[in-house]
Amino acid sequence: MTSFGRYFPIALVFAIMILFASVGLGWSYTAKTEAREELEKSEKEVKLKKIKVSGKKSSMSKDDSLALAIDDFLAKWEPHLDKYEEDDDRITALVNNIDRLAVDYRLATSDKITPASPQKYPFRSETIRVQSIGVTASGELVNALNWLSELESTLPLARIERLSVTGYSKSSVSIALRLSFPVDLIPEPEPEKPAKKKAKKK
Amino acid sequence: MELVGHDLNPNRQQLRKPLPGVFKYVIYGTLGLFSAILVMTAVNVVQTTTYANATRKAELEQDRLDRESDRLDKTITDRSLNKEKARRVLDWAELGWHAQSFLVDAMATLPPTIELDELTCELKEGYPQMALTLKLRGSDFAQKQAREAFARSLFEKGILVSESDPTRISNGISTHKLLLSLGSAQAARSEKLVAGKDGRQ
């Protein structure tokens, strides 16, 4: 047997071992490089998102006191807002409430006018709808003034469009009012658009 | 030297030269290289796993930050909506006026020698302006006094007289028509409205 024939098998085995090991090393190196790049990318994104979130937090913290004041303001006014929704029952209840207050102050009401549907009304640079109610109350001056005050505090969003006082010098005064109640002062919020699905990472 | 026999003919023997000494280093070198490659591969695999774990953690952190960002966006949107809502309520409230207080003040300013026959206030739609009509009964001097006192009272309340029609007299009743601007009075009142200190609240 020649020397070549004697050493070839072992040399072949060694060569195959080294070849496979090198392939494995190459694969592991590629995988490691990809994993490191992925990590760097993710860490960069985390950093950017942290900056974004902290920016939003700091801008929000500046508005904290204002937001609290607004929440407090709305909490006081919101109970009055839902009284003026466009609803026959609510409008009837409103008129009855005005009547009941007049009775409480020993006044006689008359000439109640309630238009069937809300009317357009200029507000800021737009047009909203208001429900008008007209009423005349007659009785003693003191009672009439107290009734008016009570009416204003019970319905703080009612705008007195017209006020006419007659008979001041007589024992009985007559106060004719025309009130406007905003029906859609706060517009309905727009329905939320469905969020776009984020593309899945490969 | 090594004596080796033939497989098929055991009687025949031959002396074979041993493997040269340098081959020993080739074998050790090859085995060493193989081991080194294995170690490096193992190190790479461990590092890959570590990076993958760190990436997974970073992705979880990203998800958390996304949720946090969405929550902040929602809060910012809600605040903006609330601000607009409050602004609308405030603007509407500012368009109004305190009728009872206005009436009481108006009546208090009139001198006892004057009689108020009729008082009519009519707001201009959508604007803080009011058309005021006063019908007074009394002597010329008393009427002049009443009008001056009334104008003073309006001024003190921050209400400006934008227009004033000439006084008309008929059957002893003088008619005074004024256009009042409630703007500056409302601006002062709006601060109270925001603070919730308004008498109507």
Side-chain angles (χ1 to χ4, degrees):
Chain A
M1 195 180 239
T2 61
S3 294
F4 178 76
R6 283 173 61 198
Y7 306 133
F8 177 75
I10 192 159
L12 187 66
V13 169
F14 276 8
I16 289 171
M17 275 169 64
I18 296 294
L19 181 71
F20 274 101
S22 301
V23 169
L25 179 65
W27 169 82
S28 67
Y29 181 76
T30 313
K32 186 185 85 172
T33 312
E34 280 177 3
R36 193 176 57 217
E37 280 172 3
E38 190 72 24
L39 175 63
E40 281 170 2
K41 202 173 142 192
S42 295
E43 280 178 342
K44 203 173 169 185
E45 275 183 35
V46 166
K47 206 179 270 181
L48 282 174
K49 284 181 180 175
K50 271 185 182 169
I51 292 169
K52 210 170 150 188
V53 166
S54 72
K56 281 180 189 174
K57 273 185 184 170
S58 73
S59 74
M60 268 180 61
S61 65
K62 283 178 197 164
D63 289 343
D64 273 351
S65 54
L66 177 66
L68 280 175
I70 287 174
D71 287 348
D72 193 37
F73 175 81
L74 285 177
K76 282 172 185 155
W77 283 88
E78 251 166 9
H80 301 291
L81 285 171
D82 64 356
K83 284 183 183 172
Y84 312 121
E85 278 176 20
E86 189 179 4
D87 184 335
D88 282 350
D89 291 343
R90 281 177 187 266
I91 301 297
T92 311
L94 210 55
V95 175
N96 290 342
N97 192 19
I98 294 171
D99 251 353
R100 204 191 60 244
L101 277 176
V103 172
D104 287 350
Y105 285 95
R106 285 177 286 169
L107 299 171
T109 54
S110 59
D111 301 336
K112 275 172 274 187
I113 305 159
T114 312
S117 58
Q119 295 136 337
K120 287 182 178 174
Y121 194 92
F123 174 62
R124 305 212 292 197
S125 54
E126 57 193 283
T127 306
I128 60 167
R129 289 174 309 141
V130 297
Q131 177 69 50
S132 294
I133 294 176
V135 65
T136 302
S138 310
E140 280 183 33
L141 175 67
V142 175
N143 287 342
L145 288 175
N146 284 335
W147 168 73
L148 189 57
S149 173
E150 184 77 23
L151 199 66
E152 288 187 298
S153 40
T154 315
L155 309 166
L157 283 180
R159 190 181 190 221
I160 298 176
E161 297 291 336
R162 192 173 192 281
L163 167 77
S164 179
V165 184
T166 48
Y168 173 64
S169 48
K170 296 169 193 164
S171 58
S172 170
V173 291
S174 173
I175 294 184
L177 293 177
R178 196 179 75 235
L179 306 159
S180 287
F181 302 91
V183 174
D184 52 1
L185 183 62
I186 308 297
E188 289 291 316
E190 286 178 18
E192 279 186 24
K193 288 175 186 171
K196 283 180 186 173
K197 283 183 181 176
K198 284 180 184 174
K200 281 189 177 178
K201 286 175 186 171
K202 284 180 185 174
Chain B
M1 297 289 275
E2 186 185 7
L3 191 66
V4 290
H6 197 276
D7 289 343
L8 299 176
N9 189 1
N11 293 330
R12 187 175 173 185
Q13 289 183 329
Q14 191 182 356
L15 276 173
R16 186 190 286 172
K17 285 181 188 172
L19 200 64
V22 71
F23 272 47
K24 187 170 62 182
Y25 298 111
V26 173
I27 292 167
Y28 291 155
T30 309
L31 287 175
L33 179 65
F34 181 72
S35 308
I37 290 174
L38 282 187
V39 168
M40 282 194 287
T41 308
V43 168
N44 280 346
V45 168
V46 169
Q47 280 188 328
T48 307
T49 314
T50 313
Y51 290 150
N53 285 339
T55 307
R56 209 160 28 247
K57 273 185 190 169
E59 279 172 0
L60 288 174
E61 178 71 0
Q62 274 186 47
D63 286 348
R64 191 190 67 77
L65 288 169
D66 280 344
R67 282 197 302 275
E68 176 84 0
S69 181
D70 288 349
R71 191 184 62 78
L72 291 174
D73 281 345
K74 193 178 176 303
T75 312
I76 289 170
T77 313
D78 286 351
R79 280 186 180 183
S80 157
L81 284 174
N82 278 351
K83 196 175 176 181
E84 173 59 13
K85 207 170 166 182
R87 189 71 253 173
R88 289 180 80 88
V89 174
L90 187 60
D91 284 354
W92 176 263
E94 278 181 357
L95 280 177
W97 57 301
H98 204 323
Q100 191 249 18
S101 153
F102 184 88
L103 265 185
V104 170
D105 286 353
M107 288 167 178
T109 54
L110 297 175
T113 48
I114 208 87
E115 278 183 25
L116 176 67
D117 198 61
E118 189 182 331
L119 181 149
T120 305
C121 305
E122 189 149 12
L123 290 182
K124 199 175 170 189
E125 271 193 2
Y127 296 95
Q129 283 187 323
M130 181 200 285
L132 175 74
T133 307
L134 276 173
K135 287 185 179 174
L136 303 175
R137 203 190 288 266
S139 67
D140 287 352
F141 178 71
Q143 290 208 18
K144 193 185 168 194
Q145 264 191 324
R147 190 169 169 156
E148 280 172 3
F150 195 70
R152 203 165 41 246
S153 157
L154 290 175
F155 182 75
E156 281 167 7
K157 288 164 84 73
I159 300 171
L160 303 175
V161 180
S162 305
E163 283 173 34
S164 173
D165 283 2
T167 306
R168 290 179 185 173
I169 302 170
S170 161
N171 297 329
I173 299 173
S174 62
T175 305
H176 306 268
K177 285 189 175 178
L178 306 168
L179 180 66
L180 307 178
S181 175
L182 307 171
S184 48
Q186 305 297 36
R189 220 184 98 222
S190 66
E191 288 177 21
K192 290 181 183 175
L193 283 169
V194 172
K197 292 174 187 168
D198 189 60
R200 290 162 66 175
Q201 260 294 294

